[in-house]
Amino acid sequence: MTRVRNYFLTGLVVAAPIGLTIWITRWFIDLVDTWFTPLIPERYQPDVYLPFDIPGLGLIIAFVLLTLLGALTANFFGRTVLNFGERLVARMPVVRSIYGALKQIFETVISQSNASFREVGLIEYPRKGIYCIVFITTQTKGELVDKTGHELVSVFLPTTPNPTSGFLLFVPKADVKVLDMTIEEGAKLIISAGLVEPPRKTLEEIPEAVPPGNPPSGSS
């Protein structure tokens, strides 16, 4: 019975990630298909001519539409129309707040460099001597720095086992210890409640590491 149990658990560990990945991928594709496939006139729908559905057609349509929208807003006419629409939205009391917040979030996420979203840090929280893993998002600017008088970084403190929820913290840069693990390794550590620890990287595997006694190139 012990051997059967071990075989069962091994099979579960192998099958569960594969099955969940397939299910989530299929769910996302079906969701996008339900949004964009109806944009095609009914007589041009592929299922009218084929005895089966074509999964992912909505993704193709979404990609084409978003690319065309980006090309349209890149020229003078598109920017003029976009500015007119934003001025119109700015006159709507509730809608302008929602639109402005969402636009700022997407612009910030897309404009940030990859390095700022691929750093995992360690801070002492909620008190000294207790450490938490955080994701470093960006350098804090503006009023927060002026009021505190410290050089702050914005960090996201995720919760276990759901790393999509958590807390936004503004921490002095000197109090954040940057780790060598990637953002994916940090997420695995959080989701598994500490059971899946990333392997320790050697000095050669850390691109930013400099051997002791050898200054970086270009320094005096």
Side-chain angles (χ1 to χ4, degrees), residues 38-117:
L39 298 178
I40 303 178
E42 186 175 356
R43 60 178 178 177
Y44 297 117
Q45 293 280 350
D47 54 2
V48 176
Y49 306 97
L50 300 175
F52 54 86
D53 295 333
I54 302 179
L57 182 62
L59 285 176
I60 299 176
I61 299 174
F63 174 79
V64 173
L65 290 179
L66 292 176
T67 303
L68 292 177
L69 179 61
L72 177 63
T73 54
N75 56 47
F76 176 78
F77 175 76
R79 288 195 299 269
T80 303
V81 174
L82 180 62
N83 292 334
F84 173 77
E86 289 184 341
R87 287 196 299 268
L88 185 64
V89 172
R91 299 177 181 271
M92 304 178 184
V94 179
V95 177
R96 67 185 179 189
S97 301
I98 299 175
Y99 173 77
L102 292 176
K103 180 182 178 182
Q104 186 175 7
I105 291 174
F106 276 93
E107 287 180 346
T108 302
V109 171
I110 294 176
S111 63
Q112 291 294 330
S113 62
N114 293 331
S116 63
F117 286 95

Side-chain angles (χ1 to χ4, degrees), residues 71-219:
L72 177 63
T73 54
N75 56 47
F76 176 78
F77 175 76
R79 288 195 299 269
T80 303
V81 174
L82 180 62
N83 292 334
F84 173 77
E86 289 184 341
R87 287 196 299 268
L88 185 64
V89 172
R91 299 177 181 271
M92 304 178 184
V94 179
V95 177
R96 67 185 179 189
S97 301
I98 299 175
Y99 173 77
L102 292 176
K103 180 182 178 182
Q104 186 175 7
I105 291 174
F106 276 93
E107 287 180 346
T108 302
V109 171
I110 294 176
S111 63
Q112 291 294 330
S113 62
N114 293 331
S116 63
F117 286 95
R118 293 190 174 275
E119 286 185 324
V120 182
L122 196 67
I123 65 171
E124 293 187 89
Y125 180 89
R127 64 171 176 82
K128 291 288 185 179
I130 298 180
Y131 295 90
C132 287
I133 291 236
V134 295
F135 298 132
I136 304 173
T137 56
T138 183
Q139 185 84 20
T140 307
K141 302 177 181 178
E143 185 179 2
L144 293 174
V145 177
D146 298 336
K147 296 293 185 181
T148 59
H150 296 288
E151 187 178 5
L152 304 176
V153 291
S154 304
V155 301
F156 177 69
L157 174 62
T159 56
T160 301
N162 179 18
T164 59
S165 64
F167 307 95
L168 172 63
L169 304 176
F170 302 99
V171 186
K173 188 175 182 180
D175 295 341
V176 181
K177 301 180 185 297
V178 180
L179 303 178
D180 298 325
M181 68 177 66
T182 64
I183 197 76
E184 292 81 6
E185 292 172 341
K188 291 178 182 178
L189 182 62
I190 294 170
I191 294 173
S192 66
L195 296 177
V196 180
E197 294 188 9
R200 291 181 59 87
K201 292 182 173 62
T202 61
L203 195 61
E204 292 76 11
E205 294 175 324
I206 304 174
E208 295 82 3
V210 178
N214 294 336
S217 59
S219 61

